[in-house]
Coordinates of all heavy atoms in Angstrom, one line a residue:
M1 N 101.4 80.8 114.4 CA 102.3 81.9 114.2 C 103.1 82.1 115.4 O 102.6 82.0 116.5 CB 101.4 83.1 113.9 CG 102.2 84.4 113.7 SD 101.2 85.8 113.4 CE 101.8 86.1 111.7
T2 N 104.4 82.3 115.2 CA 105.3 82.5 116.4 C 105.4 84.0 116.7 O 105.5 84.8 115.7 CB 106.6 81.9 116.1 OG1 107.2 82.5 115.0 CG2 106.5 80.4 115.9
T3 N 105.5 84.4 117.9 CA 105.8 85.7 118.3 C 107.3 85.9 118.4 O 108.0 84.9 118.5 CB 105.1 86.1 119.6 OG1 105.6 85.3 120.6 CG2 103.6 85.8 119.6
P4 N 107.7 87.2 118.4 CA 109.2 87.4 118.5 C 109.8 86.8 119.8 O 110.9 86.4 119.8 CB 109.3 88.9 118.5 CG 108.1 89.4 117.8 CD 107.0 88.4 118.1
H5 N 109.0 86.7 120.9 CA 109.5 86.2 122.1 C 109.6 84.7 122.1 O 110.5 84.1 122.7 CB 108.5 86.6 123.3 CG 108.5 88.0 123.5 ND1 109.6 88.7 124.0 CD2 107.5 88.9 123.3 CE1 109.2 90.0 124.1 NE2 108.0 90.2 123.7
Q6 N 108.8 84.0 121.2 CA 109.0 82.5 121.1 C 110.2 82.3 120.2 O 110.9 81.3 120.4 CB 107.7 81.9 120.5 CG 106.5 82.0 121.4 CD 105.3 81.5 120.7 OE1 105.2 81.6 119.5 NE2 104.3 81.1 121.4
Q7 N 110.3 83.1 119.2 CA 111.4 82.9 118.2 C 112.8 83.2 118.8 O 113.8 82.5 118.5 CB 111.2 83.8 117.0 CG 112.0 83.5 115.8 CD 111.5 84.3 114.6 OE1 110.8 85.3 114.7 NE2 112.0 84.0 113.4
Y8 N 112.9 84.2 119.6 CA 114.1 84.6 120.3 C 114.0 84.5 121.8 O 113.3 85.3 122.4 CB 114.5 86.0 119.9 CG 114.6 86.3 118.4 CD1 113.6 87.0 117.7 CD2 115.7 85.7 117.6 CE1 113.7 87.2 116.3 CE2 115.7 85.9 116.3 CZ 114.7 86.6 115.6 OH 114.8 86.8 114.3
P9 N 114.6 83.5 122.4 CA 114.4 83.3 123.8 C 114.8 84.6 124.7 O 114.2 84.8 125.7 CB 115.3 82.2 124.2 CG 115.8 81.6 122.9 CD 115.5 82.6 121.8
Q10 N 115.8 85.3 124.3 CA 116.2 86.5 125.1 C 115.4 87.7 124.7 O 115.7 88.8 125.2 CB 117.7 86.7 125.0 CG 118.2 86.7 123.5 CD 119.7 86.7 123.5 OE1 120.4 86.7 124.5 NE2 120.3 86.6 122.3
G11 N 114.5 87.6 123.8 CA 113.7 88.8 123.4 C 114.3 89.6 122.3 O 115.4 89.3 121.8
V12 N 113.5 90.6 121.8 CA 113.9 91.5 120.8 C 114.4 92.8 121.4 O 113.8 93.2 122.4 CB 112.7 91.7 119.8 CG1 113.1 92.7 118.7 CG2 112.2 90.4 119.2
S13 N 115.3 93.4 120.8 CA 115.9 94.6 121.3 C 114.9 95.8 121.2 O 113.9 95.7 120.4 CB 117.1 95.0 120.4 OG 117.6 96.3 120.8
D14 N 115.1 96.8 122.0 CA 114.2 98.0 122.0 C 114.8 99.0 121.0 O 114.2 100.0 120.7 CB 114.1 98.6 123.4 CG 115.4 99.0 123.9 OD1 116.5 98.4 123.5 OD2 115.5 99.8 124.8
K15 N 115.9 98.6 120.3 CA 116.5 99.5 119.3 C 116.0 99.2 117.9 O 115.8 98.0 117.6 CB 118.0 99.4 119.3 CG 118.7 99.6 120.7 CD 118.6 101.0 121.1 CE 119.3 101.1 122.5 NZ 119.1 102.4 123.0
S16 N 115.8 100.2 117.1 CA 115.2 100.0 115.8 C 116.3 99.8 114.8 O 117.3 100.5 114.8 CB 114.4 101.2 115.4 OG 114.1 101.2 114.0
K17 N 116.2 98.8 113.8 CA 117.2 98.6 112.8 C 117.1 99.8 111.8 O 118.2 100.1 111.2 CB 117.0 97.3 112.1 CG 116.1 97.2 110.9 CD 116.2 95.9 110.3 CE 115.3 95.8 109.1 NZ 115.2 94.5 108.5
V18 N 116.0 100.4 111.6 CA 115.9 101.6 110.7 C 116.7 102.8 111.2 O 117.5 103.4 110.5 CB 114.5 102.0 110.4 CG1 114.4 103.2 109.6 CG2 113.7 100.8 109.7
V19 N 116.5 103.1 112.5 CA 117.3 104.2 113.1 C 118.8 103.9 113.1 O 119.6 104.7 112.8 CB 116.8 104.4 114.6 CG1 117.7 105.4 115.3 CG2 115.3 104.9 114.5
A20 N 119.2 102.6 113.5 CA 120.6 102.3 113.5 C 121.2 102.4 112.1 O 122.3 102.8 111.9 CB 120.7 100.9 114.1
G21 N 120.4 101.9 111.1 CA 120.9 102.0 109.7 C 121.1 103.4 109.2 O 122.1 103.7 108.6
V22 N 120.1 104.2 109.4 CA 120.2 105.6 109.0 C 121.3 106.4 109.7 O 122.1 107.1 109.1 CB 118.8 106.3 109.2 CG1 118.9 107.8 108.9 CG2 117.8 105.7 108.2
L23 N 121.4 106.1 111.0 CA 122.6 106.8 111.7 C 123.9 106.3 111.2 O 124.9 107.0 111.1 CB 122.5 106.5 113.2 CG 121.4 107.2 114.0 CD1 121.3 106.7 115.4 CD2 121.7 108.7 114.0
G24 N 124.0 105.0 110.9 CA 125.2 104.4 110.3 C 125.5 105.0 109.0 O 126.7 105.3 108.7
I25 N 124.5 105.3 108.1 CA 124.8 105.9 106.8 C 125.2 107.3 107.0 O 126.1 107.8 106.3 CB 123.5 105.7 105.9 CG1 123.3 104.2 105.6 CG2 123.7 106.6 104.7 CD1 122.0 104.0 104.9
L26 N 124.5 108.1 107.8 CA 124.7 109.5 107.9 C 125.9 109.9 108.7 O 126.7 110.8 108.4 CB 123.5 110.2 108.4 CG 122.2 110.1 107.5 CD1 121.1 110.8 108.2 CD2 122.5 110.7 106.2
L27 N 126.1 109.2 109.9 CA 127.1 109.5 110.8 C 128.0 108.3 111.1 O 128.6 108.2 112.2 CB 126.5 110.0 112.1 CG 125.7 111.3 112.0 CD1 124.9 111.6 113.2 CD2 126.6 112.5 111.6
G28 N 128.1 107.4 110.2 CA 128.9 106.1 110.4 C 130.3 106.3 110.7 O 130.9 105.5 111.5
G29 N 130.9 107.3 110.2 CA 132.3 107.6 110.4 C 132.6 107.9 111.9 O 133.7 107.7 112.4
F30 N 131.6 108.4 112.6 CA 131.8 108.7 114.0 C 131.3 107.5 114.9 O 131.3 107.6 116.1 CB 131.0 109.9 114.4 CG 131.5 111.1 113.6 CD1 130.7 111.7 112.6 CD2 132.7 111.7 113.8 CE1 131.1 112.8 111.9 CE2 133.2 112.8 113.1 CZ 132.3 113.3 112.2
G31 N 130.8 106.4 114.3 CA 130.4 105.2 115.0 C 129.0 105.4 115.7 O 128.7 104.6 116.5
V32 N 128.3 106.4 115.3 CA 127.0 106.7 115.9 C 126.0 105.6 115.9 O 125.3 105.3 116.9 CB 126.4 108.0 115.4 CG1 125.0 108.3 116.0 CG2 127.3 109.2 115.6
G33 N 125.9 104.9 114.7 CA 125.0 103.8 114.6 C 125.3 102.7 115.6 O 124.4 102.1 116.2
R34 N 126.6 102.4 115.7 CA 127.0 101.3 116.7 C 126.9 101.8 118.1 O 126.5 101.0 119.0 CB 128.5 100.9 116.4 CG 128.6 100.1 115.1 CD 127.9 98.8 115.3 NE 128.1 98.0 114.0 CZ 127.9 96.7 114.0 NH1 127.6 96.0 115.1 NH2 128.1 96.1 112.9
F35 N 127.1 103.0 118.4 CA 126.9 103.5 119.8 C 125.4 103.4 120.1 O 125.0 103.0 121.2 CB 127.3 105.0 119.9 CG 128.8 105.1 120.0 CD1 129.5 106.0 119.2 CD2 129.6 104.5 121.0 CE1 130.9 106.1 119.2 CE2 130.9 104.6 121.1 CZ 131.6 105.5 120.2
Y36 N 124.5 103.7 119.2 CA 123.1 103.6 119.4 C 122.7 102.2 119.7 O 121.9 101.9 120.5 CB 122.3 104.1 118.1 CG 120.9 103.8 118.1 CD1 120.0 104.5 118.9 CD2 120.3 102.8 117.4 CE1 118.6 104.2 119.0 CE2 119.0 102.5 117.4 CZ 118.1 103.2 118.2 OH 116.8 102.9 118.2
M37 N 123.3 101.2 119.0 CA 123.0 99.8 119.2 C 123.6 99.3 120.5 O 123.2 98.2 120.9 CB 123.5 99.0 118.0 CG 122.8 99.3 116.7 SD 123.6 98.6 115.2 CE 123.9 96.9 115.7
G38 N 124.5 100.0 121.1 CA 125.1 99.6 122.4 C 126.4 98.8 122.1 O 126.9 98.2 123.1
D39 N 126.9 98.9 120.9 CA 128.1 98.2 120.6 C 129.3 99.2 120.6 O 129.7 99.6 119.6 CB 128.0 97.5 119.3 CG 129.1 96.5 119.0 OD1 130.0 96.3 119.9 OD2 129.0 95.8 117.9
T40 N 129.7 99.6 121.8 CA 130.7 100.7 121.9 C 132.1 100.4 121.4 O 132.7 101.3 120.9 CB 130.8 101.2 123.4 OG1 131.1 100.1 124.2 CG2 129.5 101.8 123.9
K41 N 132.5 99.1 121.5 CA 133.8 98.8 121.0 C 133.9 99.0 119.5 O 134.9 99.6 119.1 CB 134.1 97.3 121.3 CG 134.3 97.0 122.7 CD 134.6 95.5 123.0 CE 134.6 95.2 124.5 NZ 134.7 93.8 124.7
I42 N 133.0 98.6 118.7 CA 133.0 98.8 117.3 C 132.8 100.3 117.0 O 133.4 100.9 116.0 CB 132.0 97.9 116.5 CG1 132.5 96.5 116.7 CG2 132.0 98.3 115.0 CD1 131.6 95.5 116.0
G43 N 132.0 101.0 117.8 CA 131.7 102.4 117.6 C 133.0 103.2 117.8 O 133.4 104.1 116.9
V44 N 133.8 102.9 118.8 CA 135.1 103.6 119.0 C 136.0 103.2 117.9 O 136.8 104.1 117.4 CB 135.6 103.2 120.4 CG1 137.1 103.7 120.6 CG2 134.8 103.8 121.5
L45 N 136.1 102.0 117.5 CA 136.9 101.5 116.4 C 136.6 102.3 115.1 O 137.6 102.7 114.4 CB 136.9 100.0 116.2 CG 137.9 99.4 115.4 CD1 139.3 99.6 116.0 CD2 137.7 97.9 115.3
Q46 N 135.3 102.4 114.8 CA 135.0 103.2 113.6 C 135.4 104.6 113.7 O 135.9 105.2 112.7 CB 133.5 103.1 113.4 CG 133.0 101.8 112.8 CD 131.5 101.8 112.7 OE1 130.7 102.5 113.3 NE2 131.0 100.9 111.8
L47 N 135.3 105.2 114.8 CA 135.7 106.6 115.0 C 137.2 106.7 114.9 O 137.7 107.6 114.2 CB 135.3 107.1 116.4 CG 135.7 108.5 116.8 CD1 135.1 109.5 115.9 CD2 135.3 108.8 118.2
V48 N 138.0 105.8 115.5 CA 139.5 105.9 115.4 C 139.9 105.7 113.9 O 140.8 106.4 113.5 CB 140.1 104.8 116.3 CG1 141.6 104.7 116.1 CG2 139.8 105.2 117.8
V49 N 139.3 104.7 113.2 CA 139.7 104.4 111.8 C 139.4 105.7 111.0 O 140.2 106.0 110.1 CB 139.0 103.2 111.3 CG1 139.1 103.1 109.8 CG2 139.5 101.9 112.0
T50 N 138.3 106.3 111.2 CA 138.0 107.5 110.4 C 139.0 108.6 110.7 O 139.4 109.3 109.8 CB 136.6 108.0 110.8 OG1 135.6 107.0 110.4 CG2 136.2 109.3 110.0
L51 N 139.4 108.8 112.0 CA 140.4 109.9 112.3 C 141.7 109.5 111.7 O 142.4 110.4 111.2 CB 140.4 110.1 113.8 CG 139.2 110.6 114.4 CD1 139.3 110.7 116.0 CD2 138.9 112.0 113.9
V52 N 142.2 108.3 111.8 CA 143.5 107.9 111.4 C 143.6 108.0 109.9 O 144.7 108.4 109.3 CB 143.9 106.5 111.9 CG1 145.1 105.9 111.2 CG2 144.0 106.5 113.4
T53 N 142.5 107.7 109.2 CA 142.6 107.7 107.7 C 142.1 109.0 107.1 O 141.8 109.1 105.9 CB 141.7 106.6 107.1 OG1 140.4 106.8 107.5 CG2 142.2 105.2 107.6
C54 N 142.1 110.0 107.9 CA 141.7 111.4 107.5 C 140.3 111.4 106.8 O 140.1 112.1 105.8 CB 142.7 112.0 106.6 SG 144.3 112.2 107.4
G55 N 139.4 110.6 107.3 CA 138.0 110.6 106.8 C 137.6 109.5 105.9 O 136.5 109.2 105.7
F56 N 138.6 108.8 105.3 CA 138.3 107.7 104.3 C 137.7 106.5 105.0 O 137.0 105.7 104.4 CB 139.6 107.3 103.6 CG 140.0 108.3 102.6 CD1 141.2 109.0 102.8 CD2 139.3 108.6 101.5 CE1 141.6 110.0 101.9 CE2 139.7 109.6 100.6 CZ 140.9 110.3 100.8
G57 N 138.0 106.4 106.3 CA 137.4 105.3 107.1 C 135.9 105.4 107.3 O 135.3 104.4 107.7
A58 N 135.3 106.6 107.0 CA 133.9 106.7 107.2 C 133.1 105.8 106.2 O 131.9 105.6 106.4 CB 133.5 108.2 106.9
L59 N 133.8 105.4 105.2 CA 133.1 104.4 104.3 C 132.7 103.2 105.0 O 131.7 102.6 104.7 CB 134.1 104.1 103.1 CG 133.6 103.2 102.0 CD1 132.4 103.9 101.3 CD2 134.6 102.9 101.0
W60 N 133.5 102.7 106.0 CA 133.1 101.5 106.8 C 131.8 101.7 107.5 O 130.9 100.9 107.4 CB 134.2 101.3 107.8 CG 134.0 100.2 108.8 CD1 133.0 99.1 108.6 CD2 134.6 99.9 110.0 NE1 133.1 98.3 109.7 CE2 134.0 98.8 110.6 CE3 135.6 100.6 110.7 CZ2 134.4 98.3 111.8 CZ3 136.0 100.1 111.9 CH2 135.4 99.0 112.5
G61 N 131.6 102.9 108.1 CA 130.3 103.2 108.8 C 129.1 103.3 107.8 O 128.0 102.8 108.1
T62 N 129.4 103.8 106.6 CA 128.3 103.9 105.6 C 127.9 102.5 105.2 O 126.7 102.2 105.1 CB 128.8 104.7 104.4 OG1 129.2 106.0 104.9 CG2 127.7 104.9 103.4
I63 N 128.9 101.7 104.9 CA 128.6 100.3 104.4 C 127.9 99.5 105.6 O 127.0 98.8 105.3 CB 129.8 99.6 103.9 CG1 130.3 100.3 102.6 CG2 129.6 98.1 103.7 CD1 131.7 99.8 102.2
D64 N 128.4 99.7 106.8 CA 127.8 99.1 107.9 C 126.3 99.5 108.1 O 125.5 98.6 108.4 CB 128.6 99.5 109.2 CG 128.2 98.6 110.4 OD1 127.9 97.4 110.3 OD2 128.2 99.2 111.5
G65 N 126.0 100.7 107.9 CA 124.6 101.2 108.0 C 123.7 100.6 106.9 O 122.6 100.2 107.2
I66 N 124.2 100.4 105.7 CA 123.5 99.8 104.7 C 123.2 98.3 105.0 O 122.1 97.8 104.8 CB 124.2 100.0 103.3 CG1 124.2 101.4 102.9 CG2 123.5 99.1 102.2 CD1 125.1 101.7 101.7
L67 N 124.2 97.7 105.5 CA 124.1 96.2 105.8 C 123.1 96.0 107.0 O 122.3 95.1 107.0 CB 125.4 95.6 106.2 CG 126.4 95.4 105.0 CD1 127.7 94.9 105.5 CD2 125.8 94.4 104.0
I68 N 123.1 97.0 107.9 CA 122.1 96.9 109.0 C 120.7 97.0 108.5 O 119.8 96.3 108.9 CB 122.4 97.9 110.1 CG1 123.7 97.6 110.9 CG2 121.2 98.1 111.1 CD1 124.2 98.6 111.8
L69 N 120.5 97.9 107.6 CA 119.2 98.1 107.0 C 118.7 96.9 106.2 O 117.6 96.5 106.2 CB 119.1 99.3 106.1 CG 119.1 100.7 106.7 CD1 119.2 101.8 105.7 CD2 117.8 100.8 107.5
V70 N 119.6 96.3 105.5 CA 119.3 95.2 104.6 C 119.2 93.9 105.4 O 118.2 93.1 105.3 CB 120.3 95.0 103.5 CG1 120.1 93.7 102.7 CG2 120.3 96.2 102.6
N71 N 120.2 93.6 106.2 CA 120.2 92.3 106.9 C 119.7 92.3 108.4 O 119.6 91.3 109.0 CB 121.6 91.7 106.9 CG 122.1 91.5 105.5 OD1 121.4 91.1 104.7 ND2 123.4 91.6 105.4
G72 N 119.6 93.5 108.9 CA 119.3 93.6 110.3 C 120.6 93.5 111.1 O 121.7 93.6 110.6
G73 N 120.5 93.3 112.4 CA 121.7 93.2 113.2 C 121.2 92.9 114.6 O 120.1 92.6 114.9
V74 N 122.2 92.9 115.5 CA 122.0 92.7 116.9 C 122.5 93.8 117.8 O 123.4 94.5 117.3 CB 122.6 91.3 117.4 CG1 122.0 90.1 116.7 CG2 124.1 91.4 117.2
D75 N 121.8 94.0 118.9 CA 122.3 95.1 119.8 C 123.5 94.7 120.6 O 124.0 93.6 120.4 CB 121.2 95.6 120.7 CG 120.7 94.6 121.7 OD1 121.2 93.5 121.8 OD2 119.7 95.0 122.4
G76 N 123.9 95.5 121.5 CA 125.1 95.2 122.3 C 124.9 94.0 123.2 O 125.9 93.4 123.7
Q77 N 123.7 93.5 123.5 CA 123.4 92.4 124.3 C 123.1 91.1 123.5 O 122.7 90.1 124.0 CB 122.3 92.7 125.3 CG 122.7 93.8 126.2 CD 121.5 94.6 126.7 OE1 120.4 94.5 126.2 NE2 121.7 95.4 127.8
G78 N 123.2 91.2 122.2 CA 123.0 90.0 121.3 C 121.6 89.8 120.9 O 121.3 88.8 120.3
R79 N 120.7 90.7 121.2 CA 119.3 90.6 120.8 C 119.1 91.2 119.4 O 119.7 92.2 119.1 CB 118.4 91.3 121.8 CG 118.5 90.7 123.2 CD 117.7 91.5 124.2 NE 118.2 92.9 124.2 CZ 117.6 93.9 124.9 NH1 116.6 93.7 125.7 NH2 118.2 95.1 124.9
P80 N 118.2 90.6 118.6 CA 118.0 91.1 117.2 C 117.3 92.5 117.3 O 116.4 92.7 118.2 CB 117.1 90.1 116.6 CG 116.6 89.2 117.6 CD 117.5 89.3 118.8
L81 N 117.7 93.4 116.4 CA 117.0 94.7 116.4 C 115.6 94.5 115.9 O 115.3 93.7 115.0 CB 117.8 95.6 115.4 CG 119.2 95.9 115.8 CD1 119.9 96.7 114.7 CD2 119.3 96.7 117.1
R82 N 114.7 95.4 116.4 CA 113.3 95.3 115.9 C 113.2 96.1 114.6 O 114.0 96.9 114.3 CB 112.4 95.9 117.0 CG 112.5 97.4 117.2 CD 111.5 97.9 118.3 NE 111.8 99.2 118.7 CZ 111.5 100.3 118.0 NH1 110.8 100.2 116.9 NH2 111.8 101.5 118.5
D83 N 112.1 95.8 113.9 CA 111.9 96.4 112.5 C 111.4 97.8 112.7 O 110.8 98.2 113.6 CB 111.0 95.6 111.7 CG 111.6 94.3 111.2 OD1 112.8 94.3 111.1 OD2 110.9 93.3 111.0

């Protein structure tokens, strides 16, 4: 059996994919899920798109949160999120 450290040489993130996904679903329009994961560029972009589209861009954050829950993701340093 392989441990996460053997499977991923740079280790597993200390951020949870469940927390990131739920934040993305609930507050995705503000980029909160991406800010939590340490991916500030996409977090700011989600916030700007939501403001420019008068709130319709929040759909991006919601879909992003669902995809993080289903597929997982990586944090700002490229490490996979823990379960």
Side-chain angles (χ1 to χ4, degrees):
M1 177 179 246
T2 62
T3 64
H5 296 292
Q6 293 171 339
Q7 193 173 11
Y8 305 107
Q10 51 191 357
V12 178
S13 176
D14 58 338
K15 306 293 183 185
S16 168
K17 90 174 180 182
V18 174
V19 173
V22 171
L23 285 173
I25 291 170
L26 297 178
L27 299 169
F30 300 111
V32 175
R34 288 294 180 158
F35 285 125
Y36 169 76
M37 292 168 50
D39 196 357
T40 55
K41 291 178 186 175
I42 294 181
V44 169
L45 194 58
Q46 285 179 336
L47 178 61
V48 169
V49 167
T50 299
L51 293 175
V52 169
T53 61
C54 299
F56 290 110
L59 185 61
W60 175 19
T62 304
I63 292 170
D64 190 37
I66 293 169
L67 289 175
I68 290 170
L69 283 174
V70 173
N71 297 330
V74 294
D75 66 3
Q77 296 153 346
R79 299 175 300 179
L81 298 173
R82 65 178 169 83
D83 289 331

